[in-house]
Amino acid sequence: MAKILIVEDEKAIRNVLKNILSDEDKTFEIDEAENGKMAIDMVEEKEYDLLLCDIKMPGVDGIEVLEHVREKHPDTAIIMISGHGDLDTAVDSMKKGAYDYISKPPDLNRLLTTVRRALDRTDLVKENKTLKKKIAKGFQMIGESDALEQIKSMIEKVAPTDARVLITGPNGTGKELVAHWVHQKSERNKQPLIEVNCAAIPSELIESELFGHKKGAFTSAVKDRKGKFEQANGGTLFLDEIGDMSLSAQAKVLRALQEGKITPVGGDKEVKVNVRVLAATNKDLTEEIKEGRFREDLYHRLSVIVIKVPALNDRKEDIPLLTEHFAGKIAEEHGNAAKQFTEEAIAELQKIDWTGNIRELRNVVERLIILGGKEINGDDVRTFASK
């Protein structure tokens, strides 16, 4: 049910607009405001999908209403109503964020078409926000340990900058979550976060994957293809397991970071890219440098900021919250009510040596939910959580 507010000081025009909209869709919930001040008060009391707002009104005019709503409620669409002498102002209002304008007296077809399009736009904005929230929810960092709070504090400081970040830590600790948080809290969050698992791509294909290729560059290159650097242009590129990248690819990544340019495989023209690079590894890169497997100059380029993600064994005080979180998610996935874990069960979980870290804990929680009783107790953990 769309909520619409008509802001118009002439009662006759308010009635005409209300009748037109009511005849078009009986489900519209339509309110009226006879001046700008009343409109601003009503918008603060109730969330509207659309405002139809006159430009010329005594006291607070339509432009002031527009500016207030755009600042406080940016998702609300606004259609301005203009008299014959207000067209320049109406066009200017679109530069200030109005969706569109209609002239007095309102043309029936133009009014209804504009209203429908504006409401469709509002629905799309809301759907996108909901989707983003779902994505963000999938990358929550659960816990209140000192170690995790330090990481969150570092993210808050580094995210708004364009500094490169190297994220280190054992497998299964959640290094990708840190990368997502850095991106989401950065000014690049409206642009893509492109992920590359360097360990999963054969060394002979990694350069094509990162920098793209031109048609005919190699046997299977049947058409031009953009690489991950170009796909991430304006946004963030996350190079996971960077320690497994070949030395030849490392050299090209270094050049891309130094010059902000890449050259597709088989191409002769450079392509400018504006990319923030985040990297992650479970290896000790200083040891890899000593062994000649990682370039020292690339390491220094990547490690402007180093965030070390602790092993689960170093933050066992987070196990109660993590267990509750995973139990809820697993219940949601299975369509069941979440099972409760007793204090003894949690204590037993905290005794385990978590070599597989958070990923292992999640698997164990799922196993306990499937195999354990209605309430997960210490015996369930001792019986089913053993490796």
Side-chain angles (χ1 to χ4, degrees):
M1 182 187 295
K3 298 180 179 63
I4 301 174
L5 176 62
I6 299 172
V7 189
E8 167 63 61
D9 61 324
E10 296 183 45
K11 185 174 182 179
I13 296 179
R14 286 204 310 274
N15 290 338
V16 168
L17 292 171
K18 185 172 184 178
N19 290 336
I20 290 173
L21 295 175
S22 297
D23 290 342
E24 169 66 9
D25 193 326
K26 301 296 183 185
T27 68
F28 285 160
E29 184 179 318
I30 303 170
D31 293 335
E32 301 174 50
E34 60 187 44
N35 58 58
K37 184 180 183 308
M38 183 184 294
I40 289 173
D41 291 340
M42 293 176 72
V43 166
E44 292 308 302
E45 297 260 334
K46 183 176 178 179
E47 183 179 348
Y48 289 96
D49 300 296
L50 172 66
L51 262 66
L52 288 168
C53 185
D54 190 15
I55 291 177
K56 289 289 180 69
M57 293 182 292
V60 178
D61 65 15
I63 299 300
E64 291 177 85
V65 174
L66 168 66
E67 290 173 341
H68 176 86
V69 175
R70 285 264 60 80
E71 180 183 354
K72 302 291 185 180
H73 308 280
D75 295 343
T76 301
I78 305 173
I79 298 172
M80 307 304 291
I81 305 169
S82 67
H84 291 297
D86 302 331
L87 287 179
D88 288 342
T89 307
V91 172
D92 185 56
S93 71
M94 292 183 66
K95 295 178 183 178
K96 294 182 177 181
Y99 175 78
D100 206 343
Y101 67 89
I102 56 174
S103 301
K104 296 180 183 178
D107 175 79
L108 176 64
N109 290 330
R110 164 129 170 92
L111 171 65
L112 293 177
T113 299
T114 305
V115 166
R116 282 294 179 194
R117 286 176 177 170
L119 289 174
D120 286 345
R121 175 255 184 202
T122 301
D123 288 343
L124 184 60
V125 168
K126 287 182 177 179
E127 286 174 12
N128 285 339
K129 280 201 166 185
T130 301
L131 180 59
K132 280 189 174 181
K133 283 181 181 177
K134 286 182 179 178
I135 293 172
K137 192 176 180 181
F139 291 100
Q140 289 176 287
M141 295 176 68
I142 307 298
E144 297 175 349
S145 62
D146 289 343
L148 192 62
E149 290 301 321
Q150 287 176 14
I151 289 176
K152 291 178 181 178
S153 177
M154 286 188 71
I155 290 172
E156 293 292 338
K157 292 176 182 177
V158 72
T161 75
D162 260 350
R164 298 184 195 103
V165 180
L166 178 63
I167 307 162
T168 65
N171 284 334
T173 52
K175 296 186 291 294
E176 70 279 6
L177 299 187
V178 174
H180 275 267
W181 267 52
V182 171
H183 175 71
Q184 288 300 325
K185 290 180 174 291
S186 75
E187 294 182 0
R188 295 174 177 263
N189 61 13
K190 291 182 173 58
Q191 301 301 321
L193 169 65
I194 302 296
E195 300 181 47
V196 182
N197 187 329
C198 301
I201 302 169
S203 57
E204 64 270 17
L205 296 179
I206 188 70
E207 292 181 30
S208 170
E209 188 73 16
L210 291 174
F211 310 115
H213 60 249
K214 308 303 283 186
K215 180 180 178 180
F218 45 87
T219 305
S220 59
V222 295
K223 62 180 180 180
D224 290 358
R225 182 174 181 271
K226 286 185 177 181
K228 300 300 186 183
F229 267 90
E230 273 194 89
Q231 292 174 33
N233 195 28
T236 304
L237 180 65
F238 176 42
L239 300 176
D240 198 9
E241 303 300 349
I242 188 84
D244 292 279
M245 183 180 287
S246 67
L247 286 169
S248 61
Q250 289 177 36
K252 292 194 174 184
V253 169
L254 177 65
R255 180 174 177 272
L257 297 181
Q258 289 173 330
E259 301 179 11
K261 298 175 184 176
I262 60 162
T263 303
V265 176
D268 53 10
K269 290 185 178 180
E270 294 179 329
V271 179
K272 287 186 177 181
V273 289
N274 172 19
V275 174
R276 181 184 193 176
V277 172
L278 310 177
T281 183
N282 63 346
K283 294 185 176 182
D284 183 344
L285 292 187
T286 57
E287 286 298 318
E288 294 296 301
I289 291 168
K290 290 177 184 177
E291 297 295 327
R293 292 189 292 264
F294 202 84
R295 294 181 63 110
E296 185 174 7
D297 45 5
L298 177 58
Y299 172 77
H300 291 304
R301 284 278 175 179
L302 293 172
S303 60
V304 176
I305 302 292
V306 177
I307 296 180
K308 297 180 180 179
V309 184
L312 182 56
N313 285 336
D314 296 325
R315 45 176 290 217
K316 285 189 174 182
E317 60 265 49
D318 287 333
I319 285 178
L321 287 176
L322 286 165
T323 301
E324 181 183 5
H325 172 72
F326 289 140
K329 283 185 68 70
I330 292 164
E332 187 179 330
E333 291 168 7
H334 293 180
N336 300 324
K339 286 187 177 183
Q340 299 299 312
F341 282 66
T342 66
E343 289 185 9
E344 185 191 9
I346 296 296
E348 288 296 323
L349 288 173
Q350 289 177 313
K351 293 177 183 177
I352 294 174
D353 180 19
W354 295 102
T355 55
N357 294 294
I358 294 172
R359 191 177 299 146
E360 182 186 6
L361 174 62
R362 201 251 188 229
N363 291 341
V364 167
V365 170
E366 184 167 16
R367 188 189 312 153
L368 289 167
I369 287 172
I370 294 170
L371 301 178
K374 292 182 178 179
E375 183 179 63
I376 309 301
N377 58 37
D379 286 339
D380 291 324
V381 176
R382 286 186 287 271
T383 302
F384 301 119
S386 58
K387 300 179 182 181

